[in-house]
Amino acid sequence: MPNLAEVTHQVDLLLQTGQAMVVAAVAVDSFREINDTLGHQVGDDLLVEVTRRLHLSHPDAILGRIGGGRFAVAVPAGDTGDDPSMFGLGIRAQVEGGAQLGPVGTHVRLSVGCVMAPEHGSDGATLVRRAETAMYSARHVHGGPVLWEPAYEVQGQRRLAVVMALREALSSGAIGVAFQPKLDARTGFVTGVEALARWTHPALGSIRPDEFIPLAEASGLMGPLTSTVLRQSLTACKGWQRRGGRVGVAVNVSAETVLDAGFVTELAALLTAVDIAPDLLTIELTESVLVADPVLASERINELRAHGVKLSVDDFGTGYSSLTYLKGLPVDEVKIDKGFVDDVVDDAGDRAVVRAVVDIAHTLGLRVVAEGVEQDAQHLLLAELGVDEIQGYLHARPMPALDMAAWLRRRDVSTLV
Ligand code: C2E
Ligand code: CA
Ligand code: CA
């Protein structure tokens, strides 16, 4: 099967004849996870099957493998009715679906990005690269197809600028942390605070975690980012303790960082260095870590637990339904995602989800936190549904450590000791 260089060369040759073309970049969703969890043999079988289906769908197309689970498919424009979206949809229709890979049954899903030539580029390399850029956006819109737009280039430049600035910010200590309290749903007592990374860049301004966390993950910067957030959080926690308040802090940790072999050791060393009781620290994990590698994840979770650290499953209900993973894992709480809280008052479906999560969590002996609570009515209803703790703008926005100390003093958190 042709590789990236060969595909771009073939596209170049066809373009030189003045031929208008459509080029699609196709990614097999979750290829890496499948490869890592089910083994390379299954991964290879999957690629063979996808190749076969791609070839069947467009026997005369230029077809090549451009990376891990990624392919390029290029055809003369006339063959597709000149509509790249129809081309992309056609590929999905013919390639997606169930597949039996040896003993393993799976479901193939694709993300597809498309470009047109000459509109979107005049050489094979540019066209394939732009189709891939569109393909990455397709991941966020149920697979697409997404047609490339010039705006993606600008976004790409922004991403690059942000990654470079982030690397610099991490080495100069410019990443800060804000803290947001969690309250007992019935008594209103503070049960702990969550640490949230904050970054203001001198030229780029304030950059939201939703932008820089995914970029840090994609560029190998999560290790140093987590270290600085942990260090600042534990130091702040120690500070509050000195002022008489024993309040725990929760830190968000990405899947990759938790699975990293060195993480638990680093954490233990930090707890000792700052001199904090381990049960004052909660690690918030998202469901994806449990799904990506359940065996390794539970090993790490057990190690963390053995150090006395608490564990929380974040954004619960948004990803895969991991209620099954939850069973048998030594976690202490689940956080119901804001998505279910927003409409909990009006939407019977969301209410049912909250009720079900509370039910199961309580059966397993876990506490339930609702996040993103903005209205009294939501707080009241969530408390009624059995939610144990409330976090949200209704009670407090994330704030710097010193403001948090003043806020805690006003709430007289010391009575909780
Ligand atoms: P998350 O862990 O789900 O954190 C909750 C987010 O909801 C925070 O956004 C918080 O400021 C926001 N929030 C809290 N209450 C309300 C509310 O009542 N209304 C609304 N509209 N929003 C509320 P933030 O700080 O922008 O963080 C976004 C996400 O970025 C976090 O979601 C988390 O996934 C990630 N993140 C933040 N800091 C870190 C970090 O240090 N490490 C890692 N791995 N991820 C982080
Ligand atoms: Ca969180
Ligand atoms: Ca969350």
Side-chain angles (χ1 to χ4, degrees):
M1 152 141 302
N3 62 18
L4 175 61
E6 286 152 359
V7 169
T8 56
H9 179 63
Q10 287 179 34
V11 172
D12 280 335
L13 290 179
L14 203 56
L15 288 171
Q16 277 160 22
T17 67
Q19 176 66 56
M21 298 183 75
V22 177
V23 181
V26 176
V28 180
D29 290 350
S30 309
F31 174 69
R32 241 180 67 193
E33 285 89 334
I34 290 172
N35 215 26
D36 291 349
T37 50
L38 300 177
H40 296 295
Q41 186 56 52
V42 175
D44 288 348
D45 291 350
L46 175 60
L47 292 184
V48 168
E49 179 58 18
V50 169
T51 306
R52 192 183 68 81
R53 294 183 188 180
L54 281 171
H55 188 69
L56 270 179
S57 76
H58 293 85
D60 299 323
I62 297 171
L63 174 63
R65 180 144 169 237
I66 55 177
R70 306 195 304 284
F71 299 85
V73 191
V75 292
D79 296 4
T80 65
D82 296 323
D83 183 344
S85 296
M86 288 308 293
F87 178 53
L89 281 175
I91 291 177
R92 287 192 59 190
Q94 303 201 40
V95 176
E96 289 186 330
Q100 189 65 35
L101 310 168
V104 181
T106 185
H107 193 91
V108 178
R109 254 189 256 283
L110 304 179
S111 299
V112 179
C114 297
V115 290
M116 294 184 290
E119 290 85 344
H120 295 151
S122 52
D123 63 274
T126 305
L127 288 166
V128 172
R129 180 167 49 77
R130 291 183 168 171
E132 267 194 285
T133 306
M135 176 193 84
Y136 286 115
S137 304
R139 294 216 167 136
H140 308 295
V141 290
H142 306 293
V146 167
L147 187 60
W148 183 83
E149 296 173 29
Y152 288 129
E153 211 81 329
V154 180
Q155 284 172 19
Q157 284 162 11
R158 158 97 184 170
R159 285 167 63 99
L160 207 62
V162 171
V163 168
M164 278 162 46
L166 182 60
R167 194 164 282 140
E168 158 71 28
L170 283 167
S171 56
S172 68
I175 303 289
V177 177
F179 300 92
Q180 186 182 34
K182 292 185 290 184
L183 278 58
D184 185 289
R186 273 155 289 273
T187 64
F189 281 150
V190 178
T191 52
V193 305
E194 177 176 7
L196 295 155
R198 289 293 178 264
W199 178 26
T200 304
H201 184 269
L204 298 167
S206 139
I207 303 174
R208 292 162 44 97
D210 289 334
E211 181 175 4
F212 68 79
I213 297 286
L215 289 177
E217 282 171 345
S219 40
L221 295 173
M222 267 334 274
L225 193 137
T226 308
S227 298
T228 183
V229 172
L230 263 175
R231 185 175 292 276
Q232 293 180 55
S233 302
L234 292 180
T235 309
C237 184
K238 185 79 187 173
W240 302 324
Q241 205 174 338
R242 284 211 188 90
R243 292 156 196 251
R246 191 176 196 275
V247 54
V249 67
V251 174
N252 295 283
V253 180
S254 299
E256 208 186 291
T257 310
V258 176
L259 297 181
D260 189 293
F263 177 66
V264 179
T265 321
E266 182 194 337
L267 188 69
L270 203 55
L271 283 166
T272 311
V274 185
D275 186 23
I276 288 277
D279 67 345
L280 281 177
L281 175 66
T282 299
I283 298 292
E284 292 194 9
L285 304 168
T286 58
E287 290 177 77
S288 62
V289 63
L290 308 176
V291 179
D293 193 337
V295 178
L296 189 57
S298 76
E299 211 171 283
R300 290 284 179 270
I301 288 172
N302 280 307
E303 280 172 41
L304 285 167
R305 196 42 196 258
H307 279 90
V309 169
K310 290 192 177 147
L311 289 142
S312 165
V313 180
D314 205 355
D315 299 341
F316 198 79
T318 53
Y320 314 81
S321 71
S322 57
L323 290 170
T324 40
Y325 294 103
L326 214 54
K327 193 164 69 83
L329 278 182
V331 299
D332 301 272
E333 69 172 30
V334 295
K335 297 185 83 171
I336 297 182
D337 191 66
K338 179 173 184 301
F340 298 103
V341 170
D342 286 339
D343 294 327
V344 72
V345 175
D346 301 315
D347 188 315
D350 289 348
R351 222 156 36 234
V353 171
V354 173
R355 197 174 280 128
V357 171
V358 168
D359 223 50
I360 291 163
H362 283 174
T363 307
L364 297 171
L366 314 179
R367 291 177 69 77
V368 180
V369 183
E371 63 183 9
V373 178
E374 296 180 347
Q375 300 155 9
D376 270 321
Q378 291 169 335
H379 180 148
L380 287 173
L381 181 55
L382 289 163
E384 214 170 278
L385 292 172
V387 168
D388 303 289
E389 297 175 31
I390 301 287
Q391 179 181 356
Y393 293 175
L394 172 66
H395 298 293
R397 291 192 173 239
M399 57 189 109
L402 279 178
D403 296 5
M404 191 75 240
W407 193 94
L408 289 170
R409 224 173 11 254
R410 280 203 303 281
R411 308 281 302 205
D412 196 13
V413 72
S414 54
T415 58
L416 287 177
V417 177

